[in-house]
Amino acid sequence: MTAEGEILALDVIEASLATSLIGRASGHANELWPTIDSTNSRAAELASAGAAEGVLVLARQQTAGRGRQGRVWVTPQDAGIAFSVILRPTIPLTRLPLVTLATGTAVARAIESSVGVRLGLKWVNDLVLGGRKVGGILAEMSGPSLIIGIGINVRFSQEDVPEDLQTKIEWLERVVGRPVDPNLIVVALAAELEKSYQALLAGKVDEIVSAWKSYSVTIGKNIESNNGGQILRGKAVDITASGALVVETEDGGKVELHAGEISIRNQDGSYA
Ligand code: BTN
């Protein structure tokens, strides 16, 4: 334990893993990097070199972490968890968008059991606490492999946070007011992700959607979506079996959003 708290350690994680697939690929080592450009890029590289399903790539720091829609994802040294796993799901393409929702539920359950905090899930990939972003999910196809990348903010210092994100970012230790052990989170996350993945493979669509909805901070809210400059406003009312967000527009019609970003309307009428 350092003065600041526990740091990621692969031996500690591997000794506690209670999974049969994630982190358990026989003959293929999991990786924990002190610093790397992006764990998703490294996992894709390993996958194309033939790494088995289940291999985990973790990092204590990313220098070129990637977020959705080409954004940068910042992981300063020991400030968060950069987690990627190689999967090779054999499911119909129409079910692929559910991967992000199933992963969101897995992260929320893992944080709940290991840290004791209940995250909110904002469609489609945001992990939030008190309206601020505490993590995100980036699921990417790489040939026949699916790379699931998860970033979780654990212990930022205020000076790590860029000026424009000061009121938008959250980290777990600030919320709970005590040190949080990232190894416990990774172990819980591997277990929950494996359960969610099994549900996905078994086609348990209703279970995946209703579990996601139980953590949702999106359903029932007035939202705005911006799809390439096309603005749509309305009330988020449901999630479809393919993971789309159903929005009831002001004229009473219903629109399904399959991709893009949404903002949720605040009480003052602004969107965040
Ligand atoms: C987002 O909210 O836009 C998604 C952020 C995903 C970040 C994670 S950190 C681990 C993995 N490696 C990356 O380069 N990105 C993902």
Side-chain angles (χ1 to χ4, degrees):
M1 166 126 174
T2 66
E4 296 85 24
E6 301 289 341
I7 57 172
L8 286 171
L10 196 55
D11 55 343
V12 174
I13 292 166
E14 287 180 334
S16 306
L17 277 180
T19 50
S20 54
L21 173 71
I22 293 184
R24 295 278 188 181
S26 71
H28 295 265
N30 299 310
E31 296 184 351
L32 168 59
W33 292 82
T35 180
I36 196 170
D37 52 357
S38 153
T39 55
N40 262 29
S41 300
R42 175 63 184 156
E45 190 178 292
L46 288 173
S48 65
E53 188 178 47
V55 167
L56 271 179
V57 181
L58 306 168
R60 291 169 49 197
Q61 179 182 34
Q62 291 185 121
T63 53
R66 290 184 282 111
R68 283 183 76 245
Q69 313 219 322
R71 294 207 191 91
V72 169
W73 182 263
V74 182
T75 315
Q77 183 81 53
D78 296 323
I81 297 168
F83 176 114
S84 299
V85 63
I86 300 171
L87 296 175
R88 298 213 171 83
T90 46
I91 54 170
L93 274 180
T94 50
R95 265 195 231 143
L96 264 183
L98 288 175
V99 164
T100 301
L101 302 188
T103 302
T105 304
V107 181
R109 286 175 170 159
I111 299 285
E112 204 164 13
S113 67
S114 60
V115 184
V117 163
R118 192 172 169 90
L119 294 188
L121 300 176
K122 178 177 165 231
W123 190 87
V124 55
N125 74 318
D126 286 347
L127 313 166
V128 300
L129 270 171
R132 294 173 178 223
K133 185 151 168 160
V134 74
I137 297 161
L138 179 66
E140 299 179 297
M141 289 308 294
S142 173
S145 304
L146 171 70
I147 311 298
I148 298 191
I150 300 166
I152 301 171
N153 302 335
V154 176
R155 96 173 46 107
F156 274 54
S157 21
Q158 203 71 46
E159 57 270 24
D160 287 333
V161 183
E163 187 81 11
D164 55 324
L165 298 180
Q166 291 276 341
T167 58
K168 297 187 173 150
I169 279 192
E170 191 54 279
W171 53 97
L172 294 171
E173 288 193 348
R174 202 173 84 116
V175 174
V176 296
R178 60 176 163 78
V180 166
D181 183 346
N183 298 301
L184 293 180
I185 297 177
V186 171
V187 169
L189 180 53
E192 291 296 345
L193 201 51
E194 188 160 301
K195 282 189 227 157
S196 288
Y197 186 51
Q198 279 159 355
L200 190 71
L201 294 181
K204 296 183 178 167
V205 173
D206 291 350
E207 186 180 304
I208 291 168
V209 169
S210 71
W212 187 89
K213 280 159 81 174
S214 72
Y215 288 97
S216 157
V217 293
T218 305
I219 306 298
K221 299 279 170 54
N222 289 307
I223 63 107
E224 179 183 274
S225 87
N226 184 344
N227 204 348
Q230 238 191 329
I231 305 289
L232 174 99
R233 287 189 178 155
K235 187 174 179 182
V237 291
D238 207 355
I239 298 285
T240 69
S242 62
L245 183 67
V246 183
V247 179
E248 203 171 80
T249 53
E250 275 143 21
D251 61 11
K254 285 194 177 156
V255 176
E256 289 183 11
L257 300 180
H258 293 270
E261 293 284 292
I262 61 156
S263 308
I264 294 178
R265 193 169 81 190
N266 295 318
Q267 282 185 335
D268 66 3
S270 64
Y271 287 83

